[in-house]
């Protein structure tokens, strides 16, 4: 599987399990698989839903700040990769 870096975690809200992500490349769509990588983080998940300014969106592009509900803890400054191909 190939991976392309698309952004980084700017914040993580543990009490609601939401990662705030700054996209440095795009697009990112609902249904895409992403991979969080950091010093102690190695988490893959499928994008179930995402929000921009508290509005649910199906696609986000370069420069967007998104909120993403995830099941595992990630950390500020973790890199975000989009998993592509096989």
């Amino acid at each position: 599987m190939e991976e392309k870096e698309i952004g980084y975690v700017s914040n993580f809200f543990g009490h609601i399990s939401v990662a705030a992500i700054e996209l440095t490349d795009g697009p990112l769509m609902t249904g895409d698989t992403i991979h969080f990588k950091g010093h102690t983080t190695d988490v893959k998940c499928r994008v179930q839903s995402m929000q921009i300014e508290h509005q649910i969106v199906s696609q986000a592009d370069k420069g967007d700040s998104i909120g993403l509900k995830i099941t595992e803890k990630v950390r500020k400054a973790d890199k975000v990769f989009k998993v592509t191909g096989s």
Side-chain angles (χ1 to χ4, degrees), residues 41-79:
T41 307
D42 189 4
V43 176
K44 282 188 182 177
C45 67
R46 185 170 299 271
V47 178
Q48 301 292 332
S49 69
M50 59 184 155
Q51 294 185 356
I52 298 175
E53 298 292 328
H54 304 288
Q55 299 296 313
I56 296 173
V57 295
S58 59
Q59 179 175 332
D61 293 304
K62 180 179 180 177
D64 287 340
S65 299
I66 64 170
L68 189 66
K69 182 89 169 157
I70 58 175
T71 57
E72 296 188 48
K73 181 179 180 179
V74 296
R75 290 158 185 82
K76 191 173 183 175
D78 285 349
K79 292 185 178 185

Side-chain angles (χ1 to χ4, degrees), residues 22-43:
E22 299 293 324
L23 292 180
T24 56
D25 203 352
L28 180 64
M29 301 176 74
T30 303
D32 287 344
T33 300
I34 57 175
H35 187 187
F36 295 92
K37 287 171 105 173
H39 183 65
T40 58
T41 307
D42 189 4
V43 176

